[in-house]
């Protein structure tokens, strides 16, 4: 993924431009998990959707095994769709409410794998069910008859039926309880390890991300401000925003006055660090746009203070 | 003397499929100025308990037992008398601030409305007080903000407006229903600060309903754990989370990311089912035959009330369960 940008425009007379993604670049290796954290509205989900071509980017490109993903059409595009899949935040809305689970599970195979016979599909469906820990009784139900954790399992089984190489998980557990979250995440990690899937794991819960990921990238207002191996980031966050994120998890106990309400206002100043107005250490340099620099082993930071 | 004491509260919903027992024999006490956390998973009846106190449940719900607030039984009050209690005695902080505000009224109006109603103020005075309240909760340029509609505010700002609204009647008890659900880390920390500020300023007691253990630890003095309509463990926050006695609480703690994300196998039973024994039986790693049939009573161990037959006096079951049950059965 290289230099991806997305701009939205709003208004008829007074056109405003919102830079939702601003030159985001990263790469995910096979079998690796990259965690993406950031506050709501920082553009995490937009990254996920642009990568899979669900919304067209304003500029930049996405490469999958050195091949451009977004430009091909027709059969080629369908092939990419099979290899790159996404788990959405609200699994309830990802399943057709009028289809029984058994039909929902066959649907992706019917579209993508035309060479399979019905019988093979059904036996494959059986394997998948076991893999995600569901039983046969669930097959005859409708999505509204299942709990959140079960639906998330069905969604995962659907995705696995296409044996994808790359998976985006867009806050897969933000709506689930801690114990169900643990079930789903463990399953996801196990399946990923068995099939060598590259995973982009998006969440705002830095502890969950730390547990899931090999590397973590922190996003703030459409830019990646820091990226480092998971352990490293949680122990030595450098960028002031990453520090705030890590701190707000570890220090719920005391009241801290410096923790001011962060407000989302995309004034879209040209250039300059996006975090400038909130940064406690902002200096004159920060009026220019910082670039990602490597400061340690695989530790990249976009801040002038380095 | 407790400010609010709930005795044997049972709330049942009459549905087509049968009786749904959302709260089963729940007893709780909240003292003046105390913060009580009610934790448990989705569908265990936490919110129903909160709404039962305020009698805001739909018509097919029937509550029995006693809810004694300041020496009066709330369940016995008429609709009119209940209106006097809501807002001015017991405040409610609803789940999502985005849907709690009226989208077609300016937030200033919505705030002053409460003050006029509960404290009988004239509009001008109510407005001044409302501005003070917003300012004290840390909202910048309140005068300008008061003329805004809810959609013009960010999530964090709305939360503060709703919080201000919930204390317009100067309640002595505040019920907060999942105030941090769906918020990101930074906002969550801010909401916690806000609630802490509120309780210190108004000296109100707080009943915090949440499924987030960390929020509960940060704010609460006491924690009650709810599972499938029953309170299974109740004690001081430190004790319940650092040295949990009930196998369900132990499972909850073990499924936190920093404790290794060990899930509790299985799903919780339907609230429709009438189970004679322990409701956690189907998922419990230390179960045996007795748990299935014998009714489980509350017992007190080191100041913690726990509903389990197999908690020994020393509270030493913890290591055993961690070692065997949750890790090996983890999906």
């Amino acid at each position: 993924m290289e230099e991806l940008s997305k701009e939205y425009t709003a208004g008829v007379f007074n056109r405003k431009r919102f830079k939702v993604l601003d030159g985001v670049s990263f790469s995910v290796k096979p079998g690796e998990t990259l965690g993406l954290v950031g506050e709501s509205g920082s553009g995490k989900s937009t990254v996920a959707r642009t990568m899979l071509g669900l919304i067209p980017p304003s500029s930049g490109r996405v490469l999958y095994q050195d091949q451009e993903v977004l430009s091909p059409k027709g059969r080629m595009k369908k092939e990419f769709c099979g290899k790159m899949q996404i788990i959405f935040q609200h699994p309830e809305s990802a399943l057709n409410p009028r289809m029984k689970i058994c039909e929902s599970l066959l649907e992706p195979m019917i579209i993508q794998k035309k060479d399979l016979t019905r019988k093979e599909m059904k036996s494959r469906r059986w394997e998948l069910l076991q893999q995600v820990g569901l039983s046969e009784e669930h097959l005859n139900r409708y999505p509204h008859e299942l709990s959140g954790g079960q639906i998330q399992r069905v969604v995962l089984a659907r995705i696995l039926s296409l044996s994808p190489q790359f998976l985006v998980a867009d806050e897969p557990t933000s709506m689930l309880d801690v114990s169900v979250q643990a079930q789903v995440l463990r399953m996801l990690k196990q399946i990923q390890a068995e099939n060598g899937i590259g995973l982009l794991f998006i969440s705002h819960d830095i502890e969950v991300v730390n547990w899931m990921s090999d590397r973590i990238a922190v996003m703030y207002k459409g830019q990646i401000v820091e990226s480092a191996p998971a352990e490293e980031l949680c122990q030595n966050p450098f960028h002031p925003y990453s520090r705030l994120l890590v701190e707000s998890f570890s220090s719920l106990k005391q009241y801290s006055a410096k923790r001011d309400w962060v407000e989302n206002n995309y004034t879209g100043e040209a250039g300059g660090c996006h975090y400038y107005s909130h940064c406690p250490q902002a200096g004159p340099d920060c009026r220019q746009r910082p670039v990602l620099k490597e400061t340690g082993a695989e530790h990249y930071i976009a801040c002038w203070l380095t | 003397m407790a400010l609010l004491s709930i005795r044997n509260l049972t709330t049942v919903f009459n549905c087509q499929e049968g009786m749904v027992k959302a709260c089963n024999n729940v007893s709780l006490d909240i003292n003046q100025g105390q913060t009580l956390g009610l934790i448990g998973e989705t569908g265990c009846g936490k919110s129903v308990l909160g709404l039962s106190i305020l009698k805001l449940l739909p018509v097919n719900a029937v509550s029995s037992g006693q809810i004694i607030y300041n020496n009066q039984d709330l369940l016995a009050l008429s609709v009119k008398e209940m209106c006097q209690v809501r807002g001015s005695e017991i405040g409610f902080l609803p789940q999502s601030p985005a849907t709690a505000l009226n989208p077609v009224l300016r937030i200033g109006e919505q705030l002053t409305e409460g003050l006029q109603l509960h404290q009988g103020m004239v509009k001008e005075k109510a407005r001044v007080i409302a501005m003070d309240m917003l300012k004290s909760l840390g909202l910048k340029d309140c005068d300008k903000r008061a003329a805004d509609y809810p959609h013009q505010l960010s999530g964090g700002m709305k939360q503060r407006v709703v919080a201000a609204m919930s204390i317009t009647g100067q309640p002595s008890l505040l019920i907060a229903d999942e105030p941090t659900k769906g918020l990101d880390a930074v906002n969550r920390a801010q909401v916690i600060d806000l609630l802490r500020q509120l309780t210190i300023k108004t000296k109100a007691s707080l009943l915090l309903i949440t499924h987030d253990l960390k929020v509960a630890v940060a704010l609460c003095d006491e924690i009650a754990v709810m599972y499938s309509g029953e309170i299974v463990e109740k004690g001081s926050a430190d004790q319940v989370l650092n040295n949990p006695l009930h196998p369900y609480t132990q499972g909850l703690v073990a499924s936190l990311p920093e404790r290794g994300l060990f899930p509790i196998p299985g799903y919780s039973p339907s609230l429709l089912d009438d189970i004679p024994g322990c409701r956690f039986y189907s998922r419990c790693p230390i179960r045996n035959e007795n748990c299935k049939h014998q009714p489980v009573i509350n017992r007190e161990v080191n100041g913690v009330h726990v509903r389990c037959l197999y908690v020994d006096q020393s509270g030493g079951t913890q290591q055993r369960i961690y070692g065997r049950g949750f890790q090996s059965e983890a999906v």
Side-chain angles (χ1 to χ4, degrees):
Chain A
M1 176 132 162
E2 283 175 5
E3 289 291 324
L4 199 64
S5 300
K6 172 75 191 169
E7 279 184 7
Y8 283 112
T9 49
V12 183
F13 299 112
N14 218 337
R15 280 185 99 79
K16 280 187 208 155
R17 301 180 121 194
F18 298 98
K19 264 197 171 172
V20 177
L21 297 182
D22 191 359
V24 174
S25 308
F26 57 82
S27 63
V28 181
K29 299 185 197 87
E32 185 195 41
T33 307
L34 176 70
L36 194 60
V37 283
E39 62 188 7
S40 349
S42 60
K44 308 187 295 286
S45 298
T46 313
V47 166
R49 280 155 201 244
T50 357
M51 276 184 87
L52 299 180
L54 299 177
I55 31 182
S58 306
S59 65
R61 44 190 202 143
V62 180
L63 299 175
Y64 172 75
Q65 294 182 343
D66 294 329
Q67 275 178 296
E68 180 76 45
V69 176
L70 300 175
S71 52
K73 294 208 164 55
R75 243 201 12 240
M76 276 286 276
K77 177 153 188 171
K78 210 164 154 187
E79 208 171 287
F80 281 123
C81 285
K83 284 179 186 155
M84 300 169 70
Q85 284 288 325
I86 180 166
I87 306 176
F88 287 108
Q89 186 171 6
H90 301 281
E92 316 86 72
S93 54
L95 293 180
N96 187 337
R98 309 211 315 191
M99 269 190 191
K100 285 187 176 167
I101 300 303
C102 52
E103 297 165 37
S104 282
L105 282 174
L106 285 184
E107 196 190 13
M109 283 190 273
I110 295 173
I111 295 170
Q112 283 281 350
K113 302 204 167 168
K114 292 229 164 78
D115 48 334
L116 287 180
T117 62
R118 272 275 158 156
K119 215 172 174 188
E120 283 170 321
M121 283 185 199
K122 283 192 174 152
S123 72
R124 177 92 179 104
R125 180 174 76 187
W126 179 237
E127 282 167 33
L128 289 168
L129 270 186
Q130 308 234 296
Q131 224 177 338
V132 298
L134 287 174
S135 59
E136 211 163 346
E137 57 168 319
H138 296 120
L139 279 181
N140 259 329
R141 298 202 194 162
Y142 287 98
H144 70 265
E145 294 173 286
L146 298 179
S147 70
Q150 287 169 332
I151 295 181
Q152 202 62 283
R153 284 163 197 255
V154 174
V155 171
L156 201 57
R158 251 168 76 99
I159 287 167
L160 287 176
S161 68
L162 303 176
S163 30
Q165 297 295 301
F166 177 71
L167 192 59
V168 177
D170 186 0
E171 310 219 17
T173 57
S174 69
M175 294 291 145
L176 303 176
D177 292 319
V178 271
S179 63
V180 183
Q181 164 176 295
Q183 287 175 355
V184 171
L185 289 181
R186 280 198 167 250
M187 189 176 68
L188 188 60
K189 199 167 187 180
Q190 191 194 350
I191 286 170
Q192 184 208 359
E194 276 169 13
N195 303 324
I197 301 172
L199 180 67
L200 176 67
F201 187 81
I202 299 175
S203 176
H204 57 239
D205 189 332
I206 205 163
E207 275 169 352
V208 168
V209 170
N210 184 21
W211 189 84
M212 279 297 290
S213 321
D214 306 310
R215 275 188 304 137
I216 297 182
V218 181
M219 237 180 132
Y220 183 75
K221 292 201 177 166
Q223 288 178 336
I224 291 189
V225 294
E226 185 163 359
S227 121
E231 287 288 303
E232 166 86 1
L233 190 98
C234 288
Q235 272 150 28
N236 306 310
F238 181 83
H239 194 278
Y241 179 68
S242 337
R243 251 187 276 166
L244 179 78
L245 263 188
V246 174
E247 261 171 37
S248 59
F249 264 91
S250 51
S251 70
L252 286 181
K253 277 261 173 197
Q254 338 73 12
Y255 176 79
S256 81
K258 70 175 176 201
R259 197 196 288 142
D260 203 4
W261 291 81
V262 184
E263 272 138 34
N264 280 331
N265 39 1
Y266 279 92
T267 42
E269 251 176 82
C273 179
H274 282 305
Y275 197 56
Y276 181 71
S277 50
H278 299 296
C279 188
Q281 293 153 302
D285 273 348
C286 300
R287 290 192 183 277
Q288 270 147 44
R289 193 188 148 155
V291 268
L292 271 181
K293 281 175 294 196
E294 186 160 7
T295 54
E298 286 193 52
H299 196 146
Y300 297 87
I301 298 163
C303 182
W304 289 113
L305 294 167
T306 47
Chain B
M1 182 62 208
L3 179 72
L4 178 86
S5 55
I6 301 172
R7 288 283 164 268
N8 307 327
L9 176 74
T10 304
T11 301
V12 181
F13 290 90
N14 293 316
C15 299
Q16 267 180 356
E17 293 85 9
M19 313 263 270
V20 177
K21 261 193 184 177
C23 288
N24 192 2
N25 242 340
V26 172
S27 297
L28 276 179
D29 283 308
I30 303 176
N31 294 324
Q32 186 73 49
Q34 191 190 33
T35 302
L36 177 78
L38 191 62
I39 56 178
E41 58 192 27
T42 313
C44 73
K46 313 182 294 282
S47 296
V48 171
L49 179 61
L51 293 174
S52 299
I53 297 172
L54 287 166
K55 298 218 283 186
L56 286 174
L57 289 169
V59 275
N60 66 341
V62 180
S63 304
S64 59
Q66 279 182 313
I67 301 175
I68 295 165
Y69 173 82
N70 267 349
N71 297 326
Q72 52 181 346
D73 188 357
L74 296 185
L75 287 180
L77 293 183
S78 69
V79 177
K80 219 173 176 181
E81 288 167 316
M82 201 59 214
C83 284
Q84 300 289 317
V85 174
R86 284 188 208 124
S88 52
E89 298 286 339
I90 304 178
F92 186 65
L93 195 57
Q95 202 169 82
S96 59
T99 51
L101 292 167
N102 187 338
V104 295
L105 286 183
R106 298 175 193 276
I107 60 157
E109 281 173 53
Q110 300 191 42
L111 255 177
T112 48
E113 186 185 48
L115 288 169
Q116 284 172 287
L117 185 73
H118 293 303
Q119 301 188 20
M121 289 179 185
V122 287
K123 201 164 186 177
E124 289 72 33
K125 194 178 171 206
R127 207 181 153 73
V128 176
I129 305 270
M131 291 305 111
D132 278 351
M133 279 163 71
L134 284 182
K135 208 175 283 166
S136 73
L137 293 175
L139 196 73
K140 284 170 204 142
D141 355 289
C142 342
D143 296 328
K144 238 189 275 164
R145 286 290 167 217
D148 279 351
Y149 289 99
H151 72 269
Q152 289 169 298
L153 304 181
S154 74
M157 291 190 208
K158 272 185 241 175
Q159 187 93 45
R160 273 171 292 175
V161 173
V162 174
M165 277 170 77
S166 69
I167 54 166
T168 48
Q170 297 177 324
S172 36
L173 172 68
L174 198 60
I175 299 176
D177 191 359
E178 307 246 19
T180 56
K181 195 174 190 177
L183 295 180
D184 61 39
V186 180
N187 278 332
R188 188 174 72 162
Q190 286 161 347
V191 170
I192 291 173
D193 287 342
L194 175 71
L195 283 174
R196 193 173 291 143
Q197 238 179 310
L198 268 188
T199 46
I200 293 170
K201 262 184 204 150
T202 59
K203 299 198 176 59
S205 313
L206 178 68
L207 174 64
L208 180 75
I209 300 172
T210 178
H211 64 244
D212 194 328
L213 296 174
K214 298 195 109 170
V215 175
V217 172
L219 272 173
C220 301
D221 311 314
E222 248 188 56
I223 286 182
V225 184
M226 206 162 172
Y227 179 76
S228 193
E230 288 174 342
I231 304 263
V232 293
E233 187 163 354
K234 187 176 68 185
S236 73
D238 263 359
Q239 246 175 324
V240 170
L241 291 169
N242 293 329
N243 187 17
L245 295 175
H246 196 279
Y248 175 64
T249 321
Q250 292 175 7
L252 266 190
V253 173
S255 63
L256 285 175
E258 74 271 27
R259 305 275 174 103
L261 266 165
F262 296 112
I264 308 173
Y267 300 102
S268 51
S270 163
L271 291 167
L272 278 165
D273 299 340
D274 204 11
I275 298 168
C278 178
R279 295 192 73 88
F280 191 56
Y281 175 77
S282 57
R283 306 167 75 183
C284 184
I286 55 164
R287 65 182 169 201
N288 71 18
E289 272 307 299
N290 285 342
C291 307
K292 198 171 180 178
H293 308 294
Q294 217 168 304
V296 191
I297 38 153
N298 253 320
R299 289 196 302 157
E300 199 177 332
V301 180
N302 303 336
V304 178
H305 291 269
V306 58
R307 190 188 280 269
C308 180
L309 288 174
Y310 293 97
V311 170
D312 43 23
Q313 286 298 322
S314 59
T317 49
Q318 194 181 17
Q319 281 308 319
R320 223 169 55 221
I321 294 177
Y322 275 114
R324 195 187 49 190
F326 291 111
Q327 288 185 19
S328 60
E329 284 179 43
V331 188

